[in-house]
Every structure is written in structure tokens, then in C-alpha cells.
Amino acid sequence: MKKIINIFKIASFTLLLTAINSCKGDDFVINTDLSESNIYEASAPLIKYYKATLADAIEHIEDKRIFVDDEGVVNFSVTKDVDIVWDDLAKMKDVDFQRSYLMSEYNQGGDRYKIVEDISLNEHEDARYDSAYIAHGILRLSFDVPVDYKGDINITLPQFYPTITRSFYADGNNTDTYDFAINTQGHTLRFAHDDTYSLFNMILESDFEAVGDINDNLIMKYEYRNVEADGVFGYFGNRTAELKDQTQSIDEIKDILEYISFELQEIKYSLSTTNYIGAPFDLYATNIRFYDSSDNDDFKILKVEGNSEIKVSVESPKYNQYEIIPIYGEVTVDSKNSNVLDIANPFPEEIIADIVAVANPNGENVNKPNYYTGRDTLFAELEIKAPLMIKINEFTRKDTIDFDFRDLADNKRENIDFIDMANIYINIYNFLPFDMGANLYVIDERGVKLDDIFKDFKQILKSGDIVNGRLVDPETTEIVVELTKDKVLTYFDKSAKSIVLETKTSTINYNTDYVKIYDNYGIGAKISAEVKSQIPDIY
Amino acid sequence: MKNKIYYILILIFLFSIDNITAQDPMGLYYMNTIPQSSHLNPAMQPRAHSYISLISVTENFKSDAAFKNLVQQNGKEWVLPYHKDYSFRNLKMATGKSLDFHNNIDIGLLGFGFRLGSNYFTFDTKVKTNFNLGIPYDFISVAERGFPNDKTFNLSPLKTNVFGYIETSLGFSREINDNLTVGAKIKPLIGLTAANTKTDNFTLHTSRDYWEVDYNGSVSTSGPFDFTITKDEVTGDYDAKFEFYEDDEIVDYFTSFDNLGFAADFGVDYKINHRWSVSASLVDFGYIRWKSNDSYNFNFKYSFDGIEGEGIKEEFDDELDKILDEIKESFSHAERDNYTTNLAPQLYVGTQFEVTPYFDLGLLSRNIFYKDNFRQDFNISANFQPYSFMSANINYSLRPRGGNGLGTALMFLLGPLQFYTALDYIPTKYSDLYEKGNEEQIGIMFPNARNINFKVGLNLIFNRHGYKDRPMLYKY
């Protein structure tokens, strides 16, 4: 019994102690409200050093108008290609005629007859063809033999090499005409000449077996059309071709000038030509007009030493059996010999010129015959070009960037009020010869300023020193873009709509000096960020 | 009368304790009616002349922090680590430089013990598993401030250790004289499987100028599997493969006994007089050497200071690829041969006061030496051994960084069959969990609990009446 009581005491004691302490504690109400969260920080480097040079930009843009010269200076040029086609310079005239030959006039004695017909091929009377390699040409001859005449007729074209001959038996009592289509392709035509024409002969000879009325006529038709020659040699005469109102457009110049206005130190205008045609040429650009819509729609005329004309002359190119080595000619005008800098600084919107080309301007040079090989275009190019040696004189510009902050925050304040701070640290390494200051501010839809990010034209780019015309080292500016909680909430509450960037740019010593822009100039940056925020409530 | 006063004093003492929470299972130390008490001090000779231990299961889970350390009280509500009023100082006091979790599951297989004169011999076999996860405090501290400028996070305490092994122990205890008893155990160990990470150095530095990660460490595995890490020499890409053995290879692995180790226990018990005694023991002083293993040393040091590049681009694929290549090149590994796992030795120091032959009080300190960490507990116990067929223990444990708790041990003897259980954590207090603003309960939590600890087992006890000359019956 005592045993049982003692067991009971021990068990009761243990259970009592446990029961007293095995009570339900206070409920745990866990606060999961993210709006009461800690402020978390994150600092991180983003860009250690990233640089871009003008050479990179040029490569990226892939605009042939921008290039780098041998000195490394960036140049801008606009060209206009003008093709002057001389497809009739050494053209073979189409032949198509009919001739009646009175038999009595061509009798050589007995029953022998000989008719010689001259067939001329030069289009222009002052041109002279010496030889031609026929690439294409079908000579069609048609004979209508007079009645009762019978016998063999021989046709010879002696100027063709190899000589072309044809023979046939003609019977005048046969009502059919006798037709021949002679393919002259591959033949060399060595022209005969009279005072005016380059020609070949058609010789008809016959010793008739029987003859008819001597006063009868042999009728012949000649057709030789669309003759093409691989090569024509001779003298092609003094020819002129004219192309009016050749226009170079620089469409983007207005946009560029709105973006950055600058003044060039030098502008060059040139006319060049590449000649594949075997004749000398004089090429003219005349009545050269520069147009800028901001100048009351008036054209300004380019004057070169008092004349509105630029001329370039080229000789006939060299020729061997394999290729033609073209001749290139160029003439350039600049501020020293023209008013180009006065009328086109920086660049006009359009340049319009009349182009005139004259073949054999000085007449025939017997030591240098003309030749034509199928290349019938005289290539010309008009170019306006300027190396970027510029001045920028406190050019100011204002850009407005859409920044609908409420839209960014999905119109919910809780989507942005967890941000405590966001700073971006930017170190700019400027290797451009510009100083730039900027104002950056936020406005609402009515244009009322809500916040200044940069003011007083904070310097964001500083030019380095120029030694012997070149920048030596980059200059560094440090910028911090700060966004605080108050700013973020202000942007939301007051409906920030846009960010306005005002810049003021100048080249170094802009009052006196032009700066050359080299392709190795550029900008580098180092960027890091620091953010503090609470945990956003994404639910 | 004196005994009743003691009784009342204990009651008052226990009642005065507030926030009773879970504790460590040290109640077994003075329960020499349970032969397994010698596991804590090999000098402690069980009362039974002989015994056979049939089976026992021990589960021991420890955490540095209780729920209420991780979720802190703020007025009438409780806040999570991301709340602005959360105290990381208080959290660090609970965790130290690393928030550690330990879990051990031991399964005692066959064992026996017997007395021969002044000597006591024991033999035990156990399968022991150990899991340890260490989360560096600096990692948790990210929830305090994030990644601020110019801050270095020490993540070196990061670790994960899992291993299982078979422990066979041969124990010997001898009463040198009436006062002094000494004991020792030698414990050959056979490693079964392991996966361990060892971090020699792991830091993360964050700043606006650069972020840098520096890591030296190793991953070691041993088991019936192949774990291979290879690096493509051309691309620098890493490939990790994990493949279990075939069935026959698994058998070969476990019977190869390549992973051997050794541990030892030492103990001493000294009776100052017929009431007071002092004791001390060092337990689990040992290691396992894993010869059959796939282990790799890793080195990684990378500093990111931003993207570097040039030119006009719309995408930064090349630069990002370059960073990835640099990261790959910064990472290197090497195979390593054998590796050794050290056990966590435990040092027990205690004193016992015999109130009556059936009732005594004990005071115990346990010190656990982990790599990179140290744990200390104190335990006050009241041990009741009134009858041969039952004994009980009520104890209270204290941990300097919190985690106090009530525990108990019970033994019942039915014939030769002895059933015992020791609970280190009796769920004493629970709370309903709610989310603020939501009336629906989301769960139940034991807010003060840091430990789950219990042991249960069966023994066959022979000559149970005895301590050789100290009857177990109490006579009033």
C-alpha cells in the first residue's frame, strides 16, 4: 500500500509540475507587413570602364559620308555621282536604202558588169572611223536582177577582214529576188574614207551569160542596222553632253544642326571624273547653287575666282588588249579660291549644278586616236567635304524626354514608396574637346518644374588641354544622380510627365580656336549604383 | 523531516522557474539503474550485475535558436527578421557566429555488460548518424541591411556534415578503492557513408567599387556511389556526376571496411564522502578516416568591378561572356585523397549528493566541442530510485545562450525486461500562430523549443536487485 502511495506521489508530483507548465502560451501574431520592413542596401559596380570613340561610332553608323583621313581627322562629305552616257559617241549609223543601177552605166565591156556601192557608217560627219571590231551586225543584201540577164554574180566586201564574198547564179527571168544575210560578227571592218565618210564598199561583178535590155535596172536593197562594235578606232569628233540640275541633298543637316550647331574651319568642293572612254574630255560643273531653307529660300552661287564654273580635264585612258586603265581627274575648290566657306558653313541642304561634258575639246590628236571599247559612260562625282575642324560657341539645346512616372509605377503609390534612395555614380572620362554643362529637371504635364536634378548648367563634360592641336589626356567629371524617397513620392503625387535636358556646349577656346576632331576621340564612363529600399509588396 | 524539506525546496525551486522550455538529455547521467548511463561516463558502473541491451533509439535534435529567437516579440506582436524593429543583436546572442543545427539518430543494436569483482565489462554496437548544418550569422545578417557599401561578410562557418557509422565499444570500469572508480572505452568505428563540406575561408565583400568572393574549402563524400567533378579544359565548364553503385558493388563497398576510425571514452568517479561524489568523463574523443572517398578541394576567388569594354554596341553579350569565362577560370578544383572526420568530444563534469539511498540530487555540466563551435549545458537533477522495478528522474537544464528546459527519465522493470525512456524536451508550452490581420490560424509552434531529444530502449537485466551491497528498497 505504502509502495502504491509513494508511486502515486511521485507520478502526481511529476504530472502536476508538467501540467502547470504545460500551458498554452500567448498567441503568436506575426507581423508580415512589408511596409514595416528594414531598409536594405545594395551597392554594386556596373561599369568598370567603357569607352567609345568616334572611330567606333563611324564603324557602327556605316555611313560612307563620314570617314577618317590620313591624319586621323574625321571628315564629312556628301557626293553626287553623275554618269554621262556616250552611247552614240562611236555609233554605227543604221543603213537601210535601195538603189537602182542602170545596167548601161556599169558595163565593163562585153557582158561584164561591175557595180561599186559605198556604204557609210559614221553617224557624225566630223567623226572618222578607222576600224571597228564588229560584235553584232547582219548585212542584208537583196538583188532584183533585170529581165533576161543570167549568169554568175560575185559580191565582195573588201573592207571586211576576212574579206566577205558571196556568189550566186542570177536569172532575171526568175521573179524572185535574191536575198543574202551576211553575219559580220567577228569581222574587222577597215574603213575606206572619202572626204566626209567612213565607209565600206559593196562590189558586185558579173560576167553574164545572157543579157537583156541595157537600159534596164538592177535593183539592190541594203540593210545594216543595230551594228555593235567591241572596239571602234578613229576620231569621234567634238561632242557635247549636258546634264542639268544635278542635285546633292544633305537631308539630315537640319536635324544635325538642331542637335549641335557648329562652324567649320574649311569646306572643300570638288569635281572629279574617271574616264574609261578612249577620248579626252573636258568636264564642267556650272551654275553651282547652294540652297538653305533658312536663308529666305534664296540660292547662293558658288564663285570660283569670279566664275561659277569648275572645270576638270582628262585625257584618253591607256589601253592594252586586256584592260583599260582609266584616267582620273579632280579639281577642288576651297576657301582660298572660292566663296564656298561663306555660303556653305556648315553645310547647305542642297547643292545643284549643271554638268557639261565635251569630248575631244581640242579636236583630233593624230598621235592619240580615239577608241571605243563598249564602255560608254564618263563617270563624274561632285563632292562637298569638310574635315571636322570646328568651333562650337555655347550651343544650347533643350530636349524633352517622356517620363510618365505614374505610368511607370502602374498608378500605384505602393509600387514605389518602398524606395528609400537610389543613387547612380558616374565618372565620365571625356576625350572630346568639348565642355558641356547641363540642367536636368522633371516637369509635370503643364510644364511646371517639380525637381531639379542638375542645375546651373552643371558641368558634365570638361575638355582636356590641347597640345599641338590634339587632346592629350581625358578629363574626368564625377556626377551623382540622386533619387530620394521624397523625390520619388513627389514625382508620383505630382504626376511627373517629362524630363527636360538643357545643355550648353562649347569647344575649348571657342572664341579663337577651331578644334580638330580626331577619330580616336571619345568618351569613357565608370558607373556604379547604390540603392536602399524596403522589400516591395509584390502581392 | 529533513527529506521532506528537501522535497519542498525542490518543488519551490522548480515552480520558480519561468519559461520552462526544452532541455538536453543529461538526466541519464545519474540513472545508474539504466545500464546506458555508462555511455555518458564509462566509470559509472550500472547497478545490474549483468545485462543485455536489446535495442535502443536515440533522437537528438539541437538548434542554436528557438522559434522565439528567430521571430522576436515586439509589443503585442511578433516580427520577422526583415522587420525594422527586429534585433539582430539578440539573434546573434542566440546563434553566435553560426546558426547550427545538429541532428543525431543512434540505433543501439546488441550490447551486454557484466560485473567481475571490482570490474565491469561492457560491449555495445550502435549505428550512429550525424547531421550538422551551419549557417553563418553573416549570411543571416543580409536580412538586416542587405549588401551595403564596403562590407565584408564572413561566411566561413558555412558547413554541412552528414555521416553515418557503426560504433562498437568495449568498456572497462574498475573500482580502484572505496572512493575511486575509473573507466574507459575503446570504440573502433566503421564509416558507412559521409558527405562533408569544410570551409577554410569564405568571404564576400560588397562595395560600389567591387564585389569579391573568396572561397577555399572542400567537399568530401564517401559512400556506395561515385561523385565526380570534371572540368572541360577547352570550355572551362564544370560537370558533376553522381551515380550509385550497382547492387553487388554496394555490398562490396560496405564489406570492404575501408573507412575505419577510432574513438575512446574516459571517466572517473570519486566519492568524497558517503553523500558527496564528483565525476568527470570525456566521451567520443575520436575520428574516422575515409579512405574510400571522392573528395575535392575547391578554390574560387573572383572580383567583379564592372563590365569593361569598348565600342558602340546594342548588346553586351561579349562582355558578359568574358565575365563568365573569368568566373570559370577563377574556379579551380583538385582531387584530394583521404580525409578525416573528427567526432565532437563531450566533457561531462558533475557532482552528486545523496539525500537518501533512494533519492539524490545531481549537478552536471556538459561541454561539447564542435569544430568552430562550443556548446555548454548545465543540468540539475533529482533522481528517484525507490524500487527495483522503477526509477525516475526529473531534471532541469540550462544553456548559457538560452534553451532551458524540463526533462525526465523513467525506468520500469518487468521481470528481466527493462523499459526505459528519457525525454529531453517535454512540450511544456505551445502557442497558436496567426498572421497579423488574418483570423485564420496558420499553425502551432513550441516557441521556446531548441531541442528534440528522446531515448527509448529495452534491456534484459540480471540480478536486478542489486548494487552489490546497496539494496534498492527504501525502508522508511
Side-chain angles (χ1 to χ4, degrees):
Chain A
M1 185 63 190
K2 207 173 186 181
K3 200 184 280 190
I4 292 168
I5 291 168
N6 286 334
I7 291 168
F8 179 74
K9 280 181 185 175
I10 292 166
S12 302
F13 168 72
T14 306
L15 283 170
L16 181 67
L17 204 59
T18 306
I20 287 168
N21 290 284
S22 296
C23 53
K24 183 177 175 303
D26 293 335
D27 292 342
F28 269 58
V29 180
I30 300 176
N31 181 348
T32 57
D33 187 356
L34 292 173
S35 67
E36 295 179 29
S37 80
N38 275 326
I39 305 256
Y40 292 96
E41 302 175 39
S43 296
L46 301 175
I47 307 283
K48 178 184 178 181
Y49 183 67
Y50 202 95
K51 76 170 185 182
T53 62
L54 292 175
D56 296 324
I58 291 167
E59 189 183 329
H60 183 72
I61 295 169
E62 290 183 335
D63 189 330
K64 290 177 186 170
R65 295 175 297 178
I66 303 172
F67 65 94
V68 179
D69 64 20
D70 294 337
E71 197 190 334
V73 177
V74 177
N75 282 250
F76 181 74
S77 77
V78 179
T79 58
K80 167 71 180 172
D81 292 328
V82 181
D83 294 341
I84 305 136
V85 179
W86 296 90
D87 55 358
D88 65 347
L89 186 66
K91 188 178 175 185
M92 302 288 172
K93 187 173 71 177
D94 286 340
V95 172
D96 188 0
F97 63 91
Q98 180 174 291
R99 195 69 45 90
S100 289
Y101 301 95
L102 186 63
M103 299 303 287
S104 60
E105 290 180 5
Y106 296 95
N107 183 264
Q108 302 293 308
D111 292 328
R112 289 182 290 113
Y113 292 83
K114 182 174 180 182
I115 299 170
V116 179
E117 181 61 55
D118 293 337
I119 302 164
S120 67
L121 292 182
N122 53 307
E123 187 79 27
H124 305 285
E125 289 183 5
D126 66 337
R128 187 193 75 253
Y129 300 151
D130 295 332
S131 62
Y133 299 105
I134 305 298
H136 173 78
I138 308 290
L139 176 62
R140 298 184 192 280
L141 299 172
S142 177
F143 300 89
D144 197 355
V145 177
V147 175
D148 294 333
Y149 279 85
K150 291 183 187 176
D152 290 324
I153 292 179
N154 296 310
I155 307 295
T156 305
L157 305 171
Q159 279 75 31
F160 283 92
Y161 176 81
T163 303
I164 296 174
T165 59
R166 293 290 184 271
S167 297
F168 65 97
Y169 181 83
D171 181 352
N173 293 324
N174 189 337
T175 57
D176 295 332
T177 55
Y178 295 90
D179 297 310
F180 294 94
I182 300 170
N183 188 354
T184 61
Q185 180 185 1
H187 289 265
T188 302
L189 179 52
R190 295 178 180 143
F191 290 89
H193 301 96
D194 61 20
D195 290 336
T196 306
Y197 293 104
S198 304
L199 50 88
F200 67 93
N201 304 128
M202 192 289 301
I203 302 172
L204 186 151
E205 292 172 301
S206 177
D207 193 358
F208 287 106
E209 295 169 0
V211 296
D213 187 351
I214 199 139
N215 293 313
D216 217 338
N217 291 297
L218 176 77
I219 300 169
M220 283 191 67
K221 282 186 187 172
Y222 299 86
E223 188 182 316
Y224 196 34
R225 302 166 74 82
N226 299 323
V227 180
E228 292 172 11
D230 281 340
V232 180
F233 295 83
Y235 172 69
F236 304 145
N238 183 279
R239 303 267 84 83
T240 300
E242 197 169 341
L243 295 170
K244 282 194 174 291
D245 297 334
Q246 298 301 297
T247 305
Q248 279 169 282
S249 293
I250 310 172
D251 298 324
E252 309 87 346
I253 193 64
K254 281 188 75 175
D255 297 332
I256 293 170
L257 293 176
E258 280 177 7
Y259 194 80
I260 183 84
S261 176
F262 55 90
E263 187 187 323
L264 292 163
Q265 188 180 26
E266 179 61 271
I267 298 176
K268 297 180 182 182
Y269 187 73
S270 65
L271 171 65
S272 63
T273 183
T274 304
N275 183 19
Y276 285 88
I277 303 174
F281 288 90
D282 280 349
L283 187 66
Y284 300 83
T286 66
N287 193 20
I288 305 162
R289 294 146 276 167
F290 284 51
Y291 174 71
D292 187 339
S293 59
S294 63
D295 266 342
N296 300 319
D297 290 333
D298 285 340
F299 287 95
K300 292 182 182 154
I301 306 295
L302 177 69
K303 295 279 190 197
V304 181
E305 293 171 345
N307 299 313
S308 180
E309 180 183 277
I310 301 174
K311 173 188 162 186
V312 62
S313 297
V314 282
E315 288 299 318
S316 171
K318 291 180 183 171
Y319 174 80
N320 61 37
Q321 59 180 321
Y322 301 112
E323 59 175 348
I324 292 175
I325 301 167
I327 293 282
Y328 178 80
E330 180 181 341
V331 66
T332 302
V333 299
D334 55 24
S335 60
K336 296 186 191 62
N337 57 3
S338 75
N339 65 343
V340 65
L341 195 61
D342 299 325
I343 64 172
N345 200 347
F347 279 123
E349 291 167 43
E350 282 184 348
I351 305 171
I352 306 167
D354 297 335
I355 302 297
V356 177
V358 179
N360 293 312
N362 301 317
E364 184 177 4
N365 180 346
V366 295
N367 295 317
K368 281 191 178 178
N370 294 160
Y371 63 88
Y372 175 85
T373 60
R375 297 193 76 151
D376 60 3
T377 304
L378 180 68
F379 298 103
E381 184 182 88
L382 294 163
E383 182 184 34
I384 183 165
K385 178 173 74 176
L388 289 185
M389 295 186 292
I390 61 174
K391 264 191 217 175
I392 301 174
N393 182 353
E394 291 195 332
F395 173 72
T396 55
R397 175 184 174 78
K398 186 174 176 180
D399 290 287
T400 303
I401 306 153
D402 288 338
F403 182 66
D404 190 335
F405 198 77
R406 273 188 173 260
D407 193 51
L408 276 173
D410 214 16
N411 258 308
K412 292 178 188 168
R413 202 171 197 266
E414 58 268 26
N415 283 350
I416 43 99
D417 70 354
F418 59 87
I419 297 171
D420 191 72
M421 177 267 279
N423 288 356
I424 299 179
Y425 302 85
I426 308 173
N427 283 20
I428 300 180
Y429 305 97
N430 180 32
F431 203 56
L432 293 167
F434 304 144
D435 291 328
M436 181 186 283
N439 294 334
L440 187 67
Y441 53 92
V442 180
I443 58 173
D444 65 11
E445 60 185 356
R446 290 171 298 151
V448 174
K449 186 189 291 189
L450 301 177
D451 178 47
D452 278 307
I453 300 172
F454 299 149
K455 57 184 179 181
D456 299 327
F457 282 104
K458 179 185 171 65
Q459 184 159 45
I460 58 172
L461 290 182
K462 188 175 183 324
S463 173
D465 293 328
I466 292 183
V467 176
N468 295 328
R470 292 189 87 122
L471 280 173
V472 178
D473 290 310
E475 280 287 329
T476 306
T477 45
E478 292 181 16
I479 299 168
V480 180
V481 178
E482 293 179 324
L483 195 66
T484 62
K485 190 180 185 73
D486 288 342
K487 287 188 181 191
V488 168
L489 293 176
T490 300
Y491 297 163
F492 185 89
D493 294 339
K494 297 193 177 175
S495 301
K497 276 289 187 196
S498 306
I499 292 178
V500 179
L501 174 66
E502 292 175 344
T503 55
K504 189 192 291 183
T505 308
S506 302
T507 48
I508 190 169
N509 299 327
Y510 60 82
N511 284 320
T512 53
D513 299 343
Y514 287 87
V515 292
K516 283 187 185 178
I517 306 299
Y518 288 89
D519 68 332
N520 67 333
Y521 286 175
I523 278 191
K526 175 184 171 184
I527 302 175
S528 61
E530 195 171 356
V531 174
K532 289 184 185 175
S533 79
Q534 291 179 295
I535 299 174
D537 188 352
I538 59 174
Y539 297 108
Chain B
M1 181 61 192
K2 195 159 62 169
N3 297 335
K4 285 190 176 159
I5 291 170
Y6 285 130
Y7 219 25
I8 292 164
L9 280 173
I10 290 162
L11 209 65
I12 292 169
F13 172 70
L14 291 175
F15 265 118
S16 67
I17 293 166
D18 196 1
N19 281 334
I20 293 176
T21 59
Q23 87 287 358
D24 300 316
M26 292 189 284
L28 216 56
Y29 190 85
Y30 292 115
M31 293 277 283
N32 58 10
T33 52
I34 302 173
Q36 279 73 18
S37 65
S38 69
H39 293 178
L40 302 179
N41 187 336
M44 298 292 194
Q45 296 185 354
R47 283 204 173 188
H49 270 282
S50 58
Y51 71 91
I52 296 172
S53 63
L54 297 175
I55 189 163
S56 67
V57 175
T58 309
E59 158 63 33
N60 182 9
F61 172 79
K62 279 201 278 292
S63 163
D64 280 352
F67 182 78
K68 71 164 193 179
N69 298 124
L70 299 171
V71 182
Q72 295 176 359
Q73 190 166 18
N74 185 32
K76 287 187 180 176
E77 59 188 23
W78 293 76
V79 295
L80 295 167
Y82 61 73
H83 194 276
K84 62 183 190 305
D85 293 329
Y86 190 91
S87 170
F88 278 82
R89 183 168 164 272
N90 290 346
L91 177 65
K92 190 163 189 188
M93 282 174 62
T95 66
K97 58 181 179 177
S98 166
L99 171 59
D100 285 347
F101 299 95
H102 301 271
N103 193 71
N104 307 97
I105 298 177
D106 297 349
I107 298 175
L109 304 174
L110 195 63
F112 61 85
F114 57 90
R115 185 187 307 284
L116 262 182
S118 303
N119 307 309
Y120 207 101
F121 298 89
T122 61
F123 172 83
D124 286 289
T125 315
K126 290 180 193 172
V127 175
K128 299 178 99 167
T129 65
N130 179 282
F131 168 75
N132 169 225
L133 172 66
I135 301 173
Y137 171 78
D138 275 7
F139 181 79
I140 301 169
S141 74
V142 171
E144 184 180 12
R145 283 183 65 201
F147 301 97
N149 189 31
D150 210 19
K151 162 96 179 155
T152 301
F153 295 87
N154 179 15
L155 304 175
S156 301
L158 176 69
K159 60 179 175 289
T160 306
N161 294 307
V162 179
F163 56 90
Y165 61 98
I166 295 174
E167 177 191 277
T168 304
S169 78
L170 299 161
F172 171 74
S173 168
R174 180 179 175 83
E175 291 176 357
I176 304 297
N177 53 43
D178 287 342
N179 299 96
L180 180 65
T181 306
V182 296
K185 284 188 181 177
I186 54 170
K187 304 195 285 191
L189 309 174
I190 303 171
L192 295 174
T193 186
N196 306 98
T197 65
K198 178 171 169 287
T199 306
D200 296 315
N201 178 58
F202 188 9
T203 57
L204 169 67
H205 178 86
T206 62
S207 74
R208 268 201 301 119
D209 293 320
Y210 69 96
W211 279 41
E212 186 175 85
V213 176
D214 189 358
Y215 173 82
N216 293 301
S218 60
V219 173
S220 305
T221 63
S222 179
F225 49 78
D226 281 324
F227 172 55
T228 51
I229 292 180
T230 52
K231 183 177 181 179
D232 189 308
E233 292 300 324
V234 174
T235 63
D237 291 337
Y238 272 88
D239 185 37
K241 279 187 189 160
F242 190 89
E243 217 173 314
F244 276 101
Y245 289 168
E246 299 293 332
D247 291 346
D248 52 340
E249 289 171 321
I250 292 175
V251 171
D252 289 342
Y253 171 83
F254 283 119
T255 54
S256 65
F257 303 115
D258 279 339
N259 306 320
L260 296 176
F262 178 80
D265 299 347
F266 305 95
V268 63
D269 180 32
Y270 183 76
K271 291 178 177 42
I272 299 169
N273 54 42
H274 73 281
R275 286 192 186 271
W276 284 100
S277 66
V278 291
S279 60
S281 66
L282 180 66
V283 168
D284 270 349
F285 187 71
Y287 67 93
I288 299 172
R289 193 166 179 78
W290 303 88
K291 278 190 184 175
S292 173
N293 70 90
D294 296 311
S295 304
Y296 301 91
N297 288 328
F298 294 101
N299 289 290
F300 178 69
K301 186 165 183 175
Y302 182 71
S303 184
F304 173 74
D305 51 6
I307 294 172
E308 210 170 354
E310 58 183 28
I312 308 269
K313 293 181 185 189
E314 291 170 8
E315 292 170 342
F316 291 96
D317 289 351
D318 290 340
E319 287 74 16
L320 294 173
D321 286 342
K322 186 180 166 197
I323 290 170
L324 285 173
D325 288 340
E326 285 173 0
I327 290 173
K328 282 184 202 172
E329 280 165 30
S330 303
F331 199 84
S332 66
H333 81 292
E335 285 188 43
R336 47 179 288 186
D337 295 323
N338 311 329
Y339 76 98
T340 301
T341 303
N342 293 321
L343 306 183
Q346 300 162 57
L347 175 68
Y348 293 86
V349 179
T351 183
Q352 188 176 21
F353 178 76
E354 184 183 283
V355 180
T356 71
Y358 70 91
F359 173 59
D360 57 67
L361 300 171
L363 177 66
L364 182 67
S365 156
R366 180 175 66 183
N367 309 275
I368 307 177
F369 299 91
Y370 297 108
K371 185 180 181 298
D372 301 326
N373 218 332
F374 169 74
R375 294 281 180 262
Q376 188 176 48
D377 312 274
F378 298 95
N379 180 269
I380 308 166
S381 60
N383 304 287
F384 302 92
Q385 296 164 6
Y387 303 108
S388 62
F389 62 88
M390 78 151 290
S391 59
N393 162 287
I394 295 175
N395 62 78
Y396 183 75
S397 298
L398 278 148
R399 284 172 67 177
R401 284 215 216 112
N404 314 329
L406 184 69
T408 188
L410 292 170
M411 182 281 293
F412 294 101
L413 192 62
L414 301 169
L417 184 65
Q418 181 189 59
F419 168 80
Y420 67 92
T421 182
L423 299 166
D424 78 321
Y425 175 62
I426 301 168
T428 57
K429 186 177 281 187
Y430 73 96
S431 297
D432 292 334
L433 286 182
Y434 294 89
E435 185 182 353
K436 185 179 175 185
N438 190 345
E439 289 182 357
E440 193 177 326
Q441 184 180 339
I442 57 176
I444 292 175
M445 178 52 64
F446 301 102
N448 304 310
R450 292 186 187 208
N451 305 287
I452 296 171
N453 234 328
F454 71 85
K455 189 179 186 73
V456 63
L458 290 170
N459 296 318
L460 291 172
I461 302 294
F462 304 106
N463 285 358
R464 60 187 178 274
H465 295 290
Y467 220 18
K468 54 181 182 185
D469 55 359
R470 295 184 63 192
M472 295 178 70
L473 283 170
Y474 166 68
K475 291 183 177 177
Y476 284 97

